[in-house]
Amino acid sequence: MEHDKLYQFEILHEIAMSIGASLDMATMLKSSLPLFLRRLDCTMASVIAIRNGRTTPLYTLPRSASLAQLDSLLHNHAQQAVAVVEREGRFVHRWVLPEVGVLLLERSVPLPEPLQREIAPIAAKLAVAIQACEQYVDLAKERGFLRTLIDTLPDLVWLKDTEGVYLGCNTRFEHFFGAPREAIVGKTDYDFVAATLADAFRQNDRMAMEKNGLTVNEEEIPFASDGHRELLETTKTPMRDSRGRLIGVLGIGHDITERKRTEDELERHRHHLEELIEVRTHDLALAKDAAEAANVAKSAFLANMSHEIRTPLNAITGMAHLIRRGGLSAKQAEQLGKLEHASAHLLGIINTILELSKIEAGKFSLEKTGVQVESLLGNVISMLHDRARAKGLRLASAVQPLPPNLMGDPTRLQQALLNYATNAIKFTDRGSVTLRAMAVEETPDDALIRFEVSDTGIGIEPESLSRLFSPFEQADNSTTRKYGGTGLGLAITRKLAEMMGGEAGVESTPRQGSTFWFTCRLKKGKARAPVPFVSSDAGADLKRLYAGRRILVVEDEPVNREISSLMLADADLQVDAAEDGAQAVAMTDANDYDLILMDMQMPVMGGLDATRTIRARSRGRRIPILALTANAYSEDKARCLEAGMDDFIAKPVDPDVLYATLLRWLQPAGG
């Protein structure tokens, strides 16, 4: 038995040493398998992977060994700790490698049963070692991709710890210091720039950490690589670990030199305003083209930063809404419109890139709930009503008789229609945009529904039709420069249609208009109550029906808390505010609220825990709790609903969407 233990130790030691040396599976197996041959007098040793019913030899000694006629050992005897079969006068032993496959050893005589049992823990640890090697390879690929993505960004990106020591940076930042990132990491600003400039950088870092939120400032800096100077708009935000502890500051520096120069010229040459606006518009179009070209890569970095982007963007869009409400001069209104347009453009790019990446990664799932087609089209028309009216377009819908009680994913259907309808309005200067729905096929279990969006716009040349639905494609480059967009909306619509058992296409006549269509197969379900569509003036309806109702806003970020409170106050609602989940629980215990808007990520107590705690109280069981969060993925929505929330609103929030959602959940007096 001592001999067996020594053998076991030798094998495990060899596995550990080979893993520690390189995390390479082939090297590890090449080093450890010969021990089975030498110490156990085996004539053959093999590790075979079994994945999805398919067998793949990972390593076999001797290399000339034949593994034929061993199916019974590979796929049968699943309940046996050790399986042994005789093959041509030799005995083949099998041990299960959990989550990997099997270990096979061949001898001229069977192994004694005690030794067979001693090999079982070795097999288990060998399986763990193989999985570790595979995970290391996957991790190395992922980190390499993230690094490539960060380095393609046109802005300076860097990360410091709480003491100002650099933890990482991108290639663009290397040009600033004139040094490779290997020489930057572990150093501070004082090692690269003048003390006065380093002091300013350090002070801005402290402000970001002390504020516990986004800070923006302008900094004129010299680039050590070639001596040129740039005016940067620097955004800094504190970084925290999974426990909420402060670990450092993330900085992003965007070159605004040209923008500032243009603003100065406009101030000095007001009489040339129209000419300068035209020049600046052209420059911005070129800058947008360059930005879109830089962001065509897969967006794993954007996915990881989605929450940090959405949170300040909610502050930007919300504050813009409140500023416009207060009344503006003509010039201020024009400038604010550009800000709103830029914010919407940024959000659209982030959403579409993340959406497409998720679909292509196979991490996208469809819901199965009731679909009210009439309400669906009504929602889309309501959302685009103001945009169409601003261009003088007539927006209409037509629904042919459909089978009742259809089941599908209304959110994704609405998204697909919005992609089409938004494009139709964008490319139509006069006339109308019409949404249609009809049944083209019906069975006892389901129906194939065709959705169409027709316009009287510019149309599309025949040679461009075939590539319209490809990612990052538009009809031609001039279309991108004139109308904007990433070219992802149509690709996402086609993929959604295919996931729903249908297809997508287009029919178009140049200078006369286009009809974009997609089909989807919807299941038939049980009868249900109709779902009303979103009101075209939800704010007015909310004020008329529920003025004076008391709402609790739970939000840790001060600017976003202020914005939500002011939006609700606009609808004549009474608003209380809590800075974290613990305060929300205490305030709910002490007061009667008609509805709660709950953020997810907060200090002290997060929104999920706060919701569970409130639901556990008798007072809080019937209060509608709606998530209002920058965690905008379907997984986040599922977590919120599982915790006891009733609905989900993603930041940045559209005021009309907020009002419409409140309309659905506030109860009439006495209800």
Side-chain angles (χ1 to χ4, degrees), residues 212 307 310-311 314 552-561 564 578-582 584 596-603 605-612 614 625-632 636 639-640 643 645 647-651:
N212 194 29
H307 180 274
R310 289 175 183 275
T311 297
N314 186 69
L552 177 62
V553 175
V554 190
E555 169 68 66
D556 64 305
E557 211 286 316
V559 175
N560 286 327
R561 187 168 61 248
S564 297
E579 298 180 6
D580 55 60
I596 300 173
L597 291 174
M598 183 77 72
D599 193 15
M600 284 185 67
Q601 294 185 201
M602 295 179 291
M605 178 184 287
L608 300 181
D609 288 338
T611 298
R612 296 187 184 98
I614 292 171
I625 303 178
L626 315 183
L628 181 58
T629 174
N631 299 81
D636 301 315
R639 291 170 59 203
C640 291
M645 298 188 193
D647 212 335
F648 183 91
I649 307 170
K651 296 176 184 174

Side-chain angles (χ1 to χ4, degrees), residues 25-45:
M25 181 169 59
T27 302
M28 183 270 294
L29 294 176
K30 185 178 180 180
S31 177
S32 56
L33 284 189
L35 293 176
F36 290 103
L37 299 180
R38 186 169 64 251
R39 298 300 299 266
L40 299 178
D41 296 326
C42 296
T43 57
M44 183 274 290

Side-chain angles (χ1 to χ4, degrees), residues 99-132:
E99 306 298 329
V100 175
V102 297
L103 167 67
L104 301 180
L105 297 179
E106 184 183 74
R107 297 180 84 239
S108 57
V109 295
L111 281 169
E113 291 188 5
L115 193 54
Q116 292 180 15
R117 291 191 297 271
E118 289 294 330
I119 295 176
I122 298 176
K125 290 179 173 60
L126 182 62
V128 172
I130 292 172
Q131 291 175 298

